[in-house]
Amino acid sequence: MAIRYNIRMAGVGGQGVVTASHIFSTAVINAGGESTIVPFYGSEKRMAPVESYVRVSNEPIYEIGEITFPHILMVFHPQCITHGKSYTNPFYYGLKKEGVVLINSNTPMNLEPDQAAELKDLGAKIYYLPATQMSLDVAGIDLATNMAMVGAIGAITGLSTIEATGEAVKDRFLGKGFVVSGGTAALDSVVERKFKKKAELIEKNLAVVKAGWDYAVDNGWTLGASSMADQTTSAANKAAKASV
């Protein structure tokens, strides 16, 4: 069965949103799937809006570019919601029916009444992941927040594995095949200075990835061949029958 998820990641500068999209995309490919990504950001500075668009599937992907109608939204910072720090407003714009919203927050957020009502009408599944707290507890630094988000989305989609994600993290921090922007490179330097050796850096990041992964599994967030993927397949089947 064809499984396909269009994912819009939103966060702020300094959180490693683009790095997260690269790592998750690579993890899916490592696991035998397909993926394309497109990052989008303006000024490269802390707390400025950042988005990245990731398509993942177990079949070939022929699209690239902005994702207007995502199956999944990942919100790396609550201010993308509370302060409108997002290039897409409202933050859930275009979310497909029964789509997933993964928010980095320790507790459920008090959404505006009209936003809550619209998300309810969509049948959206809203998941709260304490990603920053996980990063602090496991790695002793908040800059591994993105690793918790990567772990959770890997478990949710079912298109990567812990092992494949681990290899993607190693590739990222060992400098194999990644071309990063000036701002992302500077962030990497800050992270690396917090740990004496890259081996320790990788070990801590992998531990946060696993924490995010386990949290998603323990809370029953895994989708696999979910209704969203079924909807995509069903639409394709109907189109094929109509053309016969």
PDB file of all heavy atoms in Angstrom, residues 44-80:
ATOM      1  N   GLU A  44      18.457  34.973   8.807  1.00  0.00           N
ATOM      2  CA  GLU A  44      19.005  33.884   9.609  1.00  0.00           C
ATOM      3  C   GLU A  44      19.430  34.424  10.979  1.00  0.00           C
ATOM      4  O   GLU A  44      20.578  34.791  11.192  1.00  0.00           O
ATOM      5  CB  GLU A  44      20.185  33.238   8.892  1.00  0.00           C
ATOM      6  CG  GLU A  44      19.781  32.490   7.633  1.00  0.00           C
ATOM      7  CD  GLU A  44      20.928  31.669   7.085  1.00  0.00           C
ATOM      8  OE1 GLU A  44      21.345  30.709   7.760  1.00  0.00           O
ATOM      9  OE2 GLU A  44      21.419  31.990   5.991  1.00  0.00           O
ATOM     10  N   LYS A  45      18.472  34.492  11.862  1.00  0.00           N
ATOM     11  CA  LYS A  45      18.760  34.960  13.224  1.00  0.00           C
ATOM     12  C   LYS A  45      17.848  34.236  14.194  1.00  0.00           C
ATOM     13  O   LYS A  45      16.794  33.693  13.809  1.00  0.00           O
ATOM     14  CB  LYS A  45      18.558  36.475  13.330  1.00  0.00           C
ATOM     15  CG  LYS A  45      17.131  36.952  13.082  1.00  0.00           C
ATOM     16  CD  LYS A  45      17.042  38.458  13.188  1.00  0.00           C
ATOM     17  CE  LYS A  45      15.603  38.937  12.982  1.00  0.00           C
ATOM     18  NZ  LYS A  45      15.501  40.411  13.096  1.00  0.00           N
ATOM     19  N   ARG A  46      18.248  34.224  15.431  1.00  0.00           N
ATOM     20  CA  ARG A  46      17.469  33.529  16.445  1.00  0.00           C
ATOM     21  C   ARG A  46      16.070  34.135  16.563  1.00  0.00           C
ATOM     22  O   ARG A  46      15.896  35.354  16.513  1.00  0.00           O
ATOM     23  CB  ARG A  46      18.177  33.595  17.802  1.00  0.00           C
ATOM     24  CG  ARG A  46      19.445  32.756  17.864  1.00  0.00           C
ATOM     25  CD  ARG A  46      19.984  32.676  19.275  1.00  0.00           C
ATOM     26  NE  ARG A  46      19.101  31.945  20.166  1.00  0.00           N
ATOM     27  CZ  ARG A  46      19.096  30.611  20.283  1.00  0.00           C
ATOM     28  NH1 ARG A  46      19.918  29.882  19.554  1.00  0.00           N
ATOM     29  NH2 ARG A  46      18.271  30.026  21.121  1.00  0.00           N
ATOM     30  N   MET A  47      15.084  33.240  16.681  1.00  0.00           N
ATOM     31  CA  MET A  47      13.674  33.580  16.895  1.00  0.00           C
ATOM     32  C   MET A  47      12.980  34.126  15.656  1.00  0.00           C
ATOM     33  O   MET A  47      11.818  34.534  15.738  1.00  0.00           O
ATOM     34  CB  MET A  47      13.517  34.551  18.069  1.00  0.00           C
ATOM     35  CG  MET A  47      13.996  34.009  19.404  1.00  0.00           C
ATOM     36  SD  MET A  47      13.253  32.415  19.861  1.00  0.00           S
ATOM     37  CE  MET A  47      11.558  32.895  20.180  1.00  0.00           C
ATOM     38  N   ALA A  48      13.649  34.147  14.504  1.00  0.00           N
ATOM     39  CA  ALA A  48      12.973  34.514  13.264  1.00  0.00           C
ATOM     40  C   ALA A  48      12.233  33.284  12.734  1.00  0.00           C
ATOM     41  O   ALA A  48      12.675  32.150  12.956  1.00  0.00           O
ATOM     42  CB  ALA A  48      13.982  35.000  12.227  1.00  0.00           C
ATOM     43  N   PRO A  49      11.112  33.466  12.042  1.00  0.00           N
ATOM     44  CA  PRO A  49      10.351  32.306  11.552  1.00  0.00           C
ATOM     45  C   PRO A  49      11.154  31.450  10.583  1.00  0.00           C
ATOM     46  O   PRO A  49      11.939  31.950   9.780  1.00  0.00           O
ATOM     47  CB  PRO A  49       9.156  32.954  10.839  1.00  0.00           C
ATOM     48  CG  PRO A  49       9.028  34.315  11.452  1.00  0.00           C
ATOM     49  CD  PRO A  49      10.435  34.745  11.740  1.00  0.00           C
ATOM     50  N   VAL A  50      10.944  30.151  10.685  1.00  0.00           N
ATOM     51  CA  VAL A  50      11.579  29.172   9.792  1.00  0.00           C
ATOM     52  C   VAL A  50      10.549  28.107   9.451  1.00  0.00           C
ATOM     53  O   VAL A  50       9.799  27.663  10.327  1.00  0.00           O
ATOM     54  CB  VAL A  50      12.792  28.487  10.456  1.00  0.00           C
ATOM     55  CG1 VAL A  50      13.399  27.446   9.520  1.00  0.00           C
ATOM     56  CG2 VAL A  50      13.845  29.502  10.859  1.00  0.00           C
ATOM     57  N   GLU A  51      10.493  27.713   8.190  1.00  0.00           N
ATOM     58  CA  GLU A  51       9.661  26.586   7.793  1.00  0.00           C
ATOM     59  C   GLU A  51      10.483  25.646   6.924  1.00  0.00           C
ATOM     60  O   GLU A  51      11.428  26.067   6.258  1.00  0.00           O
ATOM     61  CB  GLU A  51       8.417  27.032   7.014  1.00  0.00           C
ATOM     62  CG  GLU A  51       7.341  27.645   7.886  1.00  0.00           C
ATOM     63  CD  GLU A  51       6.027  27.866   7.165  1.00  0.00           C
ATOM     64  OE1 GLU A  51       5.951  27.635   5.935  1.00  0.00           O
ATOM     65  OE2 GLU A  51       5.070  28.281   7.836  1.00  0.00           O
ATOM     66  N   SER A  52      10.109  24.377   6.940  1.00  0.00           N
ATOM     67  CA  SER A  52      10.719  23.408   6.038  1.00  0.00           C
ATOM     68  C   SER A  52       9.633  22.441   5.597  1.00  0.00           C
ATOM     69  O   SER A  52       8.781  22.042   6.408  1.00  0.00           O
ATOM     70  CB  SER A  52      11.862  22.656   6.724  1.00  0.00           C
ATOM     71  OG  SER A  52      12.691  22.032   5.761  1.00  0.00           O
ATOM     72  N   TYR A  53       9.656  22.109   4.303  1.00  0.00           N
ATOM     73  CA  TYR A  53       8.611  21.271   3.723  1.00  0.00           C
ATOM     74  C   TYR A  53       9.211  19.912   3.354  1.00  0.00           C
ATOM     75  O   TYR A  53      10.159  19.837   2.575  1.00  0.00           O
ATOM     76  CB  TYR A  53       8.011  21.947   2.500  1.00  0.00           C
ATOM     77  CG  TYR A  53       7.673  23.405   2.739  1.00  0.00           C
ATOM     78  CD1 TYR A  53       8.354  24.422   2.078  1.00  0.00           C
ATOM     79  CD2 TYR A  53       6.698  23.759   3.670  1.00  0.00           C
ATOM     80  CE1 TYR A  53       8.058  25.751   2.313  1.00  0.00           C
ATOM     81  CE2 TYR A  53       6.400  25.092   3.913  1.00  0.00           C
ATOM     82  CZ  TYR A  53       7.079  26.086   3.234  1.00  0.00           C
ATOM     83  OH  TYR A  53       6.791  27.411   3.478  1.00  0.00           O
ATOM     84  N   VAL A  54       8.644  18.865   3.917  1.00  0.00           N
ATOM     85  CA  VAL A  54       9.196  17.521   3.747  1.00  0.00           C
ATOM     86  C   VAL A  54       8.114  16.590   3.203  1.00  0.00           C
ATOM     87  O   VAL A  54       7.028  16.498   3.781  1.00  0.00           O
ATOM     88  CB  VAL A  54       9.729  16.967   5.077  1.00  0.00           C
ATOM     89  CG1 VAL A  54      10.400  15.613   4.868  1.00  0.00           C
ATOM     90  CG2 VAL A  54      10.694  17.943   5.734  1.00  0.00           C
ATOM     91  N   ARG A  55       8.433  15.914   2.130  1.00  0.00           N
ATOM     92  CA  ARG A  55       7.554  14.882   1.578  1.00  0.00           C
ATOM     93  C   ARG A  55       8.230  13.536   1.784  1.00  0.00           C
ATOM     94  O   ARG A  55       9.402  13.377   1.432  1.00  0.00           O
ATOM     95  CB  ARG A  55       7.304  15.120   0.090  1.00  0.00           C
ATOM     96  CG  ARG A  55       6.468  16.364  -0.209  1.00  0.00           C
ATOM     97  CD  ARG A  55       6.418  16.662  -1.706  1.00  0.00           C
ATOM     98  NE  ARG A  55       5.464  17.708  -2.013  1.00  0.00           N
ATOM     99  CZ  ARG A  55       5.736  19.017  -1.948  1.00  0.00           C
ATOM    100  NH1 ARG A  55       6.956  19.413  -1.579  1.00  0.00           N
ATOM    101  NH2 ARG A  55       4.807  19.904  -2.249  1.00  0.00           N
ATOM    102  N   VAL A  56       7.498  12.575   2.334  1.00  0.00           N
ATOM    103  CA  VAL A  56       8.046  11.239   2.550  1.00  0.00           C
ATOM    104  C   VAL A  56       7.039  10.205   2.061  1.00  0.00           C
ATOM    105  O   VAL A  56       5.826  10.397   2.165  1.00  0.00           O
ATOM    106  CB  VAL A  56       8.385  10.979   4.041  1.00  0.00           C
ATOM    107  CG1 VAL A  56       9.559  11.832   4.483  1.00  0.00           C
ATOM    108  CG2 VAL A  56       7.179  11.232   4.940  1.00  0.00           C
ATOM    109  N   SER A  57       7.564   9.109   1.536  1.00  0.00           N
ATOM    110  CA  SER A  57       6.697   8.072   0.991  1.00  0.00           C
ATOM    111  C   SER A  57       7.471   6.769   0.873  1.00  0.00           C
ATOM    112  O   SER A  57       8.704   6.755   0.951  1.00  0.00           O
ATOM    113  CB  SER A  57       6.172   8.500  -0.396  1.00  0.00           C
ATOM    114  OG  SER A  57       5.354   7.482  -0.960  1.00  0.00           O
ATOM    115  N   ASN A  58       6.731   5.679   0.684  1.00  0.00           N
ATOM    116  CA  ASN A  58       7.366   4.407   0.364  1.00  0.00           C
ATOM    117  C   ASN A  58       7.353   4.154  -1.142  1.00  0.00           C
ATOM    118  O   ASN A  58       7.664   3.058  -1.600  1.00  0.00           O
ATOM    119  CB  ASN A  58       6.693   3.250   1.116  1.00  0.00           C
ATOM    120  CG  ASN A  58       5.214   3.107   0.761  1.00  0.00           C
ATOM    121  OD1 ASN A  58       4.643   3.921   0.039  1.00  0.00           O
ATOM    122  ND2 ASN A  58       4.590   2.051   1.274  1.00  0.00           N
ATOM    123  N   GLU A  59       6.971   5.175  -1.899  1.00  0.00           N
ATOM    124  CA  GLU A  59       6.983   5.123  -3.358  1.00  0.00           C
ATOM    125  C   GLU A  59       7.674   6.374  -3.903  1.00  0.00           C
ATOM    126  O   GLU A  59       7.906   7.333  -3.162  1.00  0.00           O
ATOM    127  CB  GLU A  59       5.548   5.039  -3.897  1.00  0.00           C
ATOM    128  CG  GLU A  59       4.853   3.731  -3.566  1.00  0.00           C
ATOM    129  CD  GLU A  59       3.592   3.534  -4.388  1.00  0.00           C
ATOM    130  OE1 GLU A  59       3.006   4.531  -4.863  1.00  0.00           O
ATOM    131  OE2 GLU A  59       3.190   2.374  -4.543  1.00  0.00           O
ATOM    132  N   PRO A  60       8.016   6.395  -5.195  1.00  0.00           N
ATOM    133  CA  PRO A  60       8.691   7.575  -5.757  1.00  0.00           C
ATOM    134  C   PRO A  60       7.892   8.853  -5.558  1.00  0.00           C
ATOM    135  O   PRO A  60       6.655   8.855  -5.579  1.00  0.00           O
ATOM    136  CB  PRO A  60       8.808   7.225  -7.248  1.00  0.00           C
ATOM    137  CG  PRO A  60       8.845   5.732  -7.279  1.00  0.00           C
ATOM    138  CD  PRO A  60       7.902   5.296  -6.181  1.00  0.00           C
ATOM    139  N   ILE A  61       8.606   9.954  -5.348  1.00  0.00           N
ATOM    140  CA  ILE A  61       8.005  11.282  -5.189  1.00  0.00           C
ATOM    141  C   ILE A  61       8.488  12.160  -6.339  1.00  0.00           C
ATOM    142  O   ILE A  61       9.685  12.218  -6.617  1.00  0.00           O
ATOM    143  CB  ILE A  61       8.412  11.916  -3.845  1.00  0.00           C
ATOM    144  CG1 ILE A  61       7.922  11.051  -2.674  1.00  0.00           C
ATOM    145  CG2 ILE A  61       7.850  13.335  -3.718  1.00  0.00           C
ATOM    146  CD1 ILE A  61       8.436  11.517  -1.322  1.00  0.00           C
ATOM    147  N   TYR A  62       7.569  12.840  -6.975  1.00  0.00           N
ATOM    148  CA  TYR A  62       7.937  13.672  -8.122  1.00  0.00           C
ATOM    149  C   TYR A  62       7.698  15.153  -7.879  1.00  0.00           C
ATOM    150  O   TYR A  62       7.923  15.973  -8.750  1.00  0.00           O
ATOM    151  CB  TYR A  62       7.154  13.211  -9.364  1.00  0.00           C
ATOM    152  CG  TYR A  62       7.412  11.768  -9.720  1.00  0.00           C
ATOM    153  CD1 TYR A  62       6.466  10.787  -9.425  1.00  0.00           C
ATOM    154  CD2 TYR A  62       8.613  11.377 -10.308  1.00  0.00           C
ATOM    155  CE1 TYR A  62       6.700   9.452  -9.732  1.00  0.00           C
ATOM    156  CE2 TYR A  62       8.861  10.048 -10.620  1.00  0.00           C
ATOM    157  CZ  TYR A  62       7.905   9.091 -10.331  1.00  0.00           C
ATOM    158  OH  TYR A  62       8.148   7.765 -10.633  1.00  0.00           O
ATOM    159  N   GLU A  63       7.213  15.498  -6.667  1.00  0.00           N
ATOM    160  CA  GLU A  63       6.956  16.901  -6.349  1.00  0.00           C
ATOM    161  C   GLU A  63       8.038  17.456  -5.444  1.00  0.00           C
ATOM    162  O   GLU A  63       8.649  16.735  -4.667  1.00  0.00           O
ATOM    163  CB  GLU A  63       5.600  17.072  -5.651  1.00  0.00           C
ATOM    164  CG  GLU A  63       4.410  16.603  -6.456  1.00  0.00           C
ATOM    165  CD  GLU A  63       4.055  15.156  -6.188  1.00  0.00           C
ATOM    166  OE1 GLU A  63       4.844  14.474  -5.508  1.00  0.00           O
ATOM    167  OE2 GLU A  63       3.003  14.708  -6.656  1.00  0.00           O
ATOM    168  N   ILE A  64       8.233  18.751  -5.553  1.00  0.00           N
ATOM    169  CA  ILE A  64       9.129  19.466  -4.650  1.00  0.00           C
ATOM    170  C   ILE A  64       8.619  20.899  -4.541  1.00  0.00           C
ATOM    171  O   ILE A  64       7.979  21.408  -5.459  1.00  0.00           O
ATOM    172  CB  ILE A  64      10.589  19.432  -5.166  1.00  0.00           C
ATOM    173  CG1 ILE A  64      11.561  19.899  -4.083  1.00  0.00           C
ATOM    174  CG2 ILE A  64      10.749  20.266  -6.433  1.00  0.00           C
ATOM    175  CD1 ILE A  64      13.010  19.627  -4.413  1.00  0.00           C
ATOM    176  N   GLY A  65       8.850  21.525  -3.423  1.00  0.00           N
ATOM    177  CA  GLY A  65       8.392  22.902  -3.255  1.00  0.00           C
ATOM    178  C   GLY A  65       7.561  23.056  -1.996  1.00  0.00           C
ATOM    179  O   GLY A  65       7.488  22.157  -1.143  1.00  0.00           O
ATOM    180  N   GLU A  66       6.931  24.202  -1.866  1.00  0.00           N
ATOM    181  CA  GLU A  66       6.134  24.508  -0.680  1.00  0.00           C
ATOM    182  C   GLU A  66       4.985  23.522  -0.531  1.00  0.00           C
ATOM    183  O   GLU A  66       4.393  23.083  -1.521  1.00  0.00           O
ATOM    184  CB  GLU A  66       5.579  25.934  -0.784  1.00  0.00           C
ATOM    185  CG  GLU A  66       4.742  26.355   0.403  1.00  0.00           C
ATOM    186  CD  GLU A  66       4.191  27.761   0.257  1.00  0.00           C
ATOM    187  OE1 GLU A  66       4.479  28.404  -0.774  1.00  0.00           O
ATOM    188  OE2 GLU A  66       3.469  28.202   1.165  1.00  0.00           O
ATOM    189  N   ILE A  67       4.675  23.177   0.700  1.00  0.00           N
ATOM    190  CA  ILE A  67       3.540  22.306   0.988  1.00  0.00           C
ATOM    191  C   ILE A  67       2.403  23.152   1.534  1.00  0.00           C
ATOM    192  O   ILE A  67       2.490  23.700   2.634  1.00  0.00           O
ATOM    193  CB  ILE A  67       3.923  21.199   1.987  1.00  0.00           C
ATOM    194  CG1 ILE A  67       4.918  20.235   1.326  1.00  0.00           C
ATOM    195  CG2 ILE A  67       2.679  20.448   2.462  1.00  0.00           C
ATOM    196  CD1 ILE A  67       5.457  19.182   2.269  1.00  0.00           C
ATOM    197  N   THR A  68       1.346  23.265   0.749  1.00  0.00           N
ATOM    198  CA  THR A  68       0.200  24.082   1.129  1.00  0.00           C
ATOM    199  C   THR A  68      -0.837  23.276   1.896  1.00  0.00           C
ATOM    200  O   THR A  68      -1.517  23.795   2.774  1.00  0.00           O
ATOM    201  CB  THR A  68      -0.459  24.702  -0.116  1.00  0.00           C
ATOM    202  OG1 THR A  68       0.546  25.399  -0.872  1.00  0.00           O
ATOM    203  CG2 THR A  68      -1.547  25.683   0.261  1.00  0.00           C
ATOM    204  N   PHE A  69      -0.957  22.000   1.543  1.00  0.00           N
ATOM    205  CA  PHE A  69      -1.966  21.144   2.179  1.00  0.00           C
ATOM    206  C   PHE A  69      -1.288  19.928   2.825  1.00  0.00           C
ATOM    207  O   PHE A  69      -1.233  18.850   2.241  1.00  0.00           O
ATOM    208  CB  PHE A  69      -3.003  20.695   1.140  1.00  0.00           C
ATOM    209  CG  PHE A  69      -3.709  21.842   0.472  1.00  0.00           C
ATOM    210  CD1 PHE A  69      -3.378  22.221  -0.816  1.00  0.00           C
ATOM    211  CD2 PHE A  69      -4.675  22.570   1.158  1.00  0.00           C
ATOM    212  CE1 PHE A  69      -4.012  23.291  -1.430  1.00  0.00           C
ATOM    213  CE2 PHE A  69      -5.310  23.642   0.561  1.00  0.00           C
ATOM    214  CZ  PHE A  69      -4.982  24.008  -0.742  1.00  0.00           C
ATOM    215  N   PRO A  70      -0.764  20.122   4.026  1.00  0.00           N
ATOM    216  CA  PRO A  70      -0.014  19.050   4.695  1.00  0.00           C
ATOM    217  C   PRO A  70      -0.914  18.008   5.360  1.00  0.00           C
ATOM    218  O   PRO A  70      -2.038  18.305   5.777  1.00  0.00           O
ATOM    219  CB  PRO A  70       0.792  19.808   5.747  1.00  0.00           C
ATOM    220  CG  PRO A  70      -0.077  20.981   6.083  1.00  0.00           C
ATOM    221  CD  PRO A  70      -0.762  21.377   4.806  1.00  0.00           C
ATOM    222  N   HIS A  71      -0.372  16.795   5.446  1.00  0.00           N
ATOM    223  CA  HIS A  71      -0.999  15.762   6.266  1.00  0.00           C
ATOM    224  C   HIS A  71      -0.607  15.965   7.734  1.00  0.00           C
ATOM    225  O   HIS A  71      -1.363  15.621   8.639  1.00  0.00           O
ATOM    226  CB  HIS A  71      -0.534  14.361   5.846  1.00  0.00           C
ATOM    227  CG  HIS A  71      -0.844  13.990   4.434  1.00  0.00           C
ATOM    228  ND1 HIS A  71       0.077  14.077   3.424  1.00  0.00           N
ATOM    229  CD2 HIS A  71      -1.979  13.519   3.864  1.00  0.00           C
ATOM    230  CE1 HIS A  71      -0.467  13.670   2.289  1.00  0.00           C
ATOM    231  NE2 HIS A  71      -1.713  13.330   2.530  1.00  0.00           N
ATOM    232  N   ILE A  72       0.632  16.464   7.922  1.00  0.00           N
ATOM    233  CA  ILE A  72       1.182  16.610   9.270  1.00  0.00           C
ATOM    234  C   ILE A  72       1.825  17.978   9.429  1.00  0.00           C
ATOM    235  O   ILE A  72       2.550  18.430   8.535  1.00  0.00           O
ATOM    236  CB  ILE A  72       2.236  15.521   9.557  1.00  0.00           C
ATOM    237  CG1 ILE A  72       1.627  14.118   9.418  1.00  0.00           C
ATOM    238  CG2 ILE A  72       2.839  15.700  10.954  1.00  0.00           C
ATOM    239  CD1 ILE A  72       2.654  12.993   9.529  1.00  0.00           C
ATOM    240  N   LEU A  73       1.574  18.622  10.563  1.00  0.00           N
ATOM    241  CA  LEU A  73       2.236  19.870  10.922  1.00  0.00           C
ATOM    242  C   LEU A  73       3.123  19.601  12.135  1.00  0.00           C
ATOM    243  O   LEU A  73       2.712  18.933  13.076  1.00  0.00           O
ATOM    244  CB  LEU A  73       1.218  20.944  11.302  1.00  0.00           C
ATOM    245  CG  LEU A  73       0.218  21.377  10.246  1.00  0.00           C
ATOM    246  CD1 LEU A  73      -0.759  22.385  10.849  1.00  0.00           C
ATOM    247  CD2 LEU A  73       0.922  21.997   9.058  1.00  0.00           C
ATOM    248  N   MET A  74       4.334  20.129  12.095  1.00  0.00           N
ATOM    249  CA  MET A  74       5.224  20.050  13.250  1.00  0.00           C
ATOM    250  C   MET A  74       5.520  21.468  13.708  1.00  0.00           C
ATOM    251  O   MET A  74       6.066  22.273  12.946  1.00  0.00           O
ATOM    252  CB  MET A  74       6.513  19.313  12.885  1.00  0.00           C
ATOM    253  CG  MET A  74       6.298  17.858  12.516  1.00  0.00           C
ATOM    254  SD  MET A  74       7.834  17.054  11.943  1.00  0.00           S
ATOM    255  CE  MET A  74       8.815  17.076  13.457  1.00  0.00           C
ATOM    256  N   VAL A  75       5.154  21.788  14.933  1.00  0.00           N
ATOM    257  CA  VAL A  75       5.352  23.120  15.485  1.00  0.00           C
ATOM    258  C   VAL A  75       6.454  23.024  16.535  1.00  0.00           C
ATOM    259  O   VAL A  75       6.245  22.483  17.627  1.00  0.00           O
ATOM    260  CB  VAL A  75       4.052  23.670  16.104  1.00  0.00           C
ATOM    261  CG1 VAL A  75       4.291  25.057  16.677  1.00  0.00           C
ATOM    262  CG2 VAL A  75       2.938  23.695  15.067  1.00  0.00           C
ATOM    263  N   PHE A  76       7.636  23.548  16.204  1.00  0.00           N
ATOM    264  CA  PHE A  76       8.795  23.411  17.071  1.00  0.00           C
ATOM    265  C   PHE A  76       8.795  24.413  18.230  1.00  0.00           C
ATOM    266  O   PHE A  76       9.505  24.209  19.204  1.00  0.00           O
ATOM    267  CB  PHE A  76      10.085  23.591  16.258  1.00  0.00           C
ATOM    268  CG  PHE A  76      10.440  22.414  15.397  1.00  0.00           C
ATOM    269  CD1 PHE A  76       9.615  22.000  14.368  1.00  0.00           C
ATOM    270  CD2 PHE A  76      11.617  21.711  15.615  1.00  0.00           C
ATOM    271  CE1 PHE A  76       9.944  20.915  13.565  1.00  0.00           C
ATOM    272  CE2 PHE A  76      11.956  20.627  14.827  1.00  0.00           C
ATOM    273  CZ  PHE A  76      11.126  20.224  13.795  1.00  0.00           C
ATOM    274  N   HIS A  77       8.047  25.496  18.085  1.00  0.00           N
ATOM    275  CA  HIS A  77       8.030  26.519  19.151  1.00  0.00           C
ATOM    276  C   HIS A  77       6.610  27.049  19.322  1.00  0.00           C
ATOM    277  O   HIS A  77       5.956  27.392  18.328  1.00  0.00           O
ATOM    278  CB  HIS A  77       8.967  27.668  18.794  1.00  0.00           C
ATOM    279  CG  HIS A  77       9.379  28.506  19.973  1.00  0.00           C
ATOM    280  ND1 HIS A  77       8.487  29.313  20.653  1.00  0.00           N
ATOM    281  CD2 HIS A  77      10.574  28.649  20.608  1.00  0.00           C
ATOM    282  CE1 HIS A  77       9.110  29.930  21.639  1.00  0.00           C
ATOM    283  NE2 HIS A  77      10.377  29.536  21.643  1.00  0.00           N
ATOM    284  N   PRO A  78       6.109  27.129  20.563  1.00  0.00           N
ATOM    285  CA  PRO A  78       4.745  27.619  20.788  1.00  0.00           C
ATOM    286  C   PRO A  78       4.476  29.008  20.206  1.00  0.00           C
ATOM    287  O   PRO A  78       3.335  29.337  19.879  1.00  0.00           O
ATOM    288  CB  PRO A  78       4.632  27.633  22.320  1.00  0.00           C
ATOM    289  CG  PRO A  78       5.602  26.602  22.775  1.00  0.00           C
ATOM    290  CD  PRO A  78       6.755  26.687  21.821  1.00  0.00           C
ATOM    291  N   GLN A  79       5.527  29.840  20.062  1.00  0.00           N
ATOM    292  CA  GLN A  79       5.316  31.188  19.532  1.00  0.00           C
ATOM    293  C   GLN A  79       4.900  31.182  18.061  1.00  0.00           C
ATOM    294  O   GLN A  79       4.411  32.192  17.548  1.00  0.00           O
ATOM    295  CB  GLN A  79       6.568  32.047  19.723  1.00  0.00           C
ATOM    296  CG  GLN A  79       6.774  32.490  21.161  1.00  0.00           C
ATOM    297  CD  GLN A  79       7.845  33.552  21.309  1.00  0.00           C
ATOM    298  OE1 GLN A  79       8.347  34.098  20.336  1.00  0.00           O
ATOM    299  NE2 GLN A  79       8.202  33.854  22.545  1.00  0.00           N
ATOM    300  N   CYS A  80       5.078  30.055  17.378  1.00  0.00           N
ATOM    301  CA  CYS A  80       4.545  29.936  16.015  1.00  0.00           C
ATOM    302  C   CYS A  80       3.024  30.039  16.051  1.00  0.00           C
ATOM    303  O   CYS A  80       2.396  30.422  15.060  1.00  0.00           O
ATOM    304  CB  CYS A  80       4.953  28.591  15.396  1.00  0.00           C
ATOM    305  SG  CYS A  80       6.717  28.402  15.100  1.00  0.00           S
TER     306      CYS A  80
END
